[in-house]
Amino acid sequence: MTLETLVQLARSRTPADRSRIQLATAALGLSGALLLGALRIVRLGSDMLPETVYSNYIAEAGLRSGLIAILVILAVLTGGLAVQALRLGTAARERRLAALRLAGASRKQVRQLSVTDAAMAGLAGGLLAGPVYLALSLLLGALPRMARILPGAELLDLIVWIPVVVMTTAAGALIGSLLHRDQLEPSVEQPEQVRTGIIAGPVMIVLGLATVRWAGYIASTVLMIGLALFFLSLSPLWIRAIGRRLQRSGDPANLLTGVRLVTDARSSSRMATVLACCGFLVGTLVHGTIGVLTEGEQIIGRADFYVTGYVLGAVGVLLIVLTGMAALVVGVADQLVDQRRQLACLTALGVDTQFLRRVIRRQLTAVAAPALASGMLLGTLLGLGRLIGGFTSPFHLGTVLASAGLTIAGWLIGLLGGVAAGHLLRNQVRDALDPENLRAA
């Protein structure tokens, strides 16, 4: 099979499939931009730089290496979101690959299509990385000196951009190869894994809290892993509990929402875990900012240094939250495509697009709002005081007020995400309710 044929067959054919590729492209583009930023800072060398020109995070050699590590870690995490986007797949795409298999395509050729599909997203993301990096450097360059954590772009970045494009393309091809399945079989849930997570998660949380005074960042990492594991194991349970409660409602919209939550609890729980962990990090950073603002004069003297770091970190995590919400929206779009025949049957009962959009909003809100609110609440209450020896007690007045404010903010972000999803998925909702879907064989 020639490259031209592979590209033509791998092209997205449906709105849901195009949304999946666009999300993966955006994630890989941001990942490539962060790598460009890290490589730009590496080229500054290891000598001290004038603090009147550069931010302290770049001017000080010790902080510069940490900033490079943070940018690389963020690039890896953003690439993980691309994995999640490509992992979602769409029912239409899976059926198209199955149709090609029945038409005589070999398993190797079908795998090549999957790899080409993901590699095209990686190539587009790599090409997007350059403009994104330029925009980020210009945006941060307009901020006060302390917040200029990316030095200005230079002509040499054009040459460095080429290997970054190659890296993102290769990463996309690798993701496509790893996620491809020769046999499409429905996943079977493993209750043993759920029980293991519920037991192992609290054990790691207690172990991290008990040893943080001596183990420092290692204990903090164990605590974070324990929280993520516990929430991942617990999420399907509370999502199903909410779904069953809604199923007992007399409201038809709540009834249909409950059915969809119970049916798709596992995939929803993955995104709920991502959102909860992001909310936890945001709460932790806010707690650290409160600690800096309420500490003694030796800290207040460099308050701009600490506050800038915490605020930029919170903004970065919020961007990941928004990307995770986008992945959740794509998952719902995939569900609409997969269930289009069942949904088309509802038109005979008078269901219209406004009703289904209301169901989608409630479905996303039921997943995103509790996850973000609980993550932000726990992050603010635990905070740096428990994780790395911060300054503020969880019962400090500022901490309590921030906890309440962030909990409300997390819930509102979840509500706004549901409203935005109802608008973004309006075309998919209309297509899913089209009676022509009943003509499909």
Side-chain angles (χ1 to χ4, degrees):
M1 190 178 295
T2 64
L3 179 61
E4 182 180 0
T5 303
L6 282 173
V7 172
Q8 289 294 328
L9 292 177
R11 288 175 56 191
S12 304
R13 306 290 179 179
T14 63
D17 203 16
R18 284 192 290 270
S19 299
R20 178 182 67 91
I21 294 299
Q22 289 169 0
L23 178 59
T25 300
L28 289 172
L30 181 57
S31 178
L34 293 172
L35 284 178
L36 282 172
L39 293 173
R40 175 68 178 90
I41 298 175
V42 168
R43 296 202 304 272
L44 294 175
S46 58
D47 298 331
M48 291 292 295
L49 299 175
E51 295 184 359
T52 57
V53 178
Y54 295 97
S55 169
N56 291 51
Y57 300 100
I58 296 177
E60 300 180 26
L63 295 178
R64 194 184 312 151
S65 59
L67 179 59
I68 293 171
I70 290 173
L71 289 175
V72 172
I73 292 173
L74 286 176
V76 173
L77 291 176
T78 309
L81 293 174
V83 175
Q84 177 63 25
L86 292 173
R87 185 187 182 91
L88 290 172
T90 62
R93 174 176 173 273
E94 301 292 358
R95 283 192 292 269
R96 179 161 57 87
L97 294 178
L100 290 173
R101 185 76 177 88
L102 293 174
S106 64
R107 290 186 177 180
K108 180 180 178 181
Q109 290 173 331
V110 174
R111 176 177 288 273
Q112 288 176 344
L113 287 175
S114 298
V115 172
T116 304
D117 180 37
M120 289 169 59
L123 176 61
L127 295 176
L128 183 64
V132 171
Y133 167 68
L134 180 60
L136 285 176
S137 62
L138 292 175
L139 177 62
L140 293 175
L143 297 177
R145 182 190 61 84
M146 190 63 70
R148 299 173 189 170
I149 59 173
L150 283 181
E154 58 183 13
L155 289 178
L156 189 57
D157 290 323
L158 291 175
I159 300 177
V160 179
W161 186 13
I162 297 175
V164 170
V165 173
V166 175
M167 290 174 60
T168 56
T169 305
L174 179 62
I175 294 171
S177 178
L178 293 176
L179 296 182
H180 176 74
R181 295 175 297 169
D182 291 326
Q183 298 292 337
L184 300 178
E185 299 177 356
S187 59
V188 179
E189 296 185 10
Q190 301 293 335
E192 292 78 8
Q193 295 179 0
V194 175
R195 288 197 294 268
T196 301
I198 292 178
I199 295 173
V203 171
M204 296 180 70
I205 292 172
V206 173
L207 181 63
L209 290 175
T211 60
V212 69
R213 182 177 300 178
W214 302 278
Y217 288 101
I218 297 177
S220 302
T221 303
V222 172
L223 173 61
M224 284 296 300
I225 295 175
L227 284 170
L229 182 61
F230 180 67
F231 204 95
L232 178 61
S233 302
L234 199 63
S235 293
L237 302 180
W238 64 259
I239 289 175
R240 289 195 183 94
I242 293 175
R244 294 191 182 97
R245 181 179 180 84
L246 292 174
Q247 283 179 333
R248 295 193 295 268
S249 173
D251 187 350
N254 287 339
L255 176 62
L256 186 56
T257 302
V259 172
R260 293 173 65 83
L261 285 174
V262 172
T263 303
D264 197 36
R266 291 297 294 176
S267 60
S268 298
S269 67
R270 290 194 294 268
M271 281 296 97
T273 302
V274 172
L275 295 175
C277 290
C278 291
F280 181 86
L281 292 176
V282 171
T284 300
L285 292 169
V286 171
H287 184 277
T289 304
I290 296 172
V292 169
L293 295 176
T294 56
E295 185 56 14
E297 295 182 359
Q298 69 274 17
I299 299 297
I300 294 298
R302 302 189 68 189
D304 58 340
F305 173 79
Y306 291 101
V307 172
T308 300
Y310 288 133
V311 171
L312 290 177
V315 170
V317 176
L318 283 174
L319 290 177
I320 297 177
V321 170
L322 295 177
T323 309
M325 287 290 294
L328 185 60
V329 171
V330 174
V332 175
D334 179 39
Q335 194 180 50
L336 289 173
V337 175
D338 190 39
Q339 299 175 354
R340 70 192 192 283
R341 295 185 66 185
Q342 297 93 316
L343 294 173
C345 295
L346 295 178
T347 57
L349 301 177
V351 172
D352 56 5
T353 57
Q354 294 297 327
F355 177 85
L356 189 54
R357 286 173 61 181
R358 187 162 65 250
V359 171
I360 297 301
R361 287 197 298 267
R362 294 181 183 181
Q363 179 184 356
L364 288 174
T365 300
V367 175
L372 281 173
S374 59
M376 289 184 177
L377 176 63
L378 289 175
T380 311
L381 290 179
L382 289 178
L384 297 181
R386 293 296 183 92
L387 295 183
I388 57 175
F391 314 107
T392 309
S393 167
F395 304 104
H396 186 273
L397 178 60
T399 304
V400 174
L401 294 177
S403 301
L406 284 179
T407 303
I408 296 173
W411 198 276
L412 290 178
I413 291 175
L415 292 176
L416 292 175
V419 174
H423 176 73
L424 295 174
L425 296 175
R426 60 189 184 281
N427 294 329
Q428 287 84 348
V429 170
R430 184 180 63 251
D431 294 341
L433 291 176
D434 191 346
E436 289 293 327
N437 292 326
L438 299 176
R439 297 179 182 271

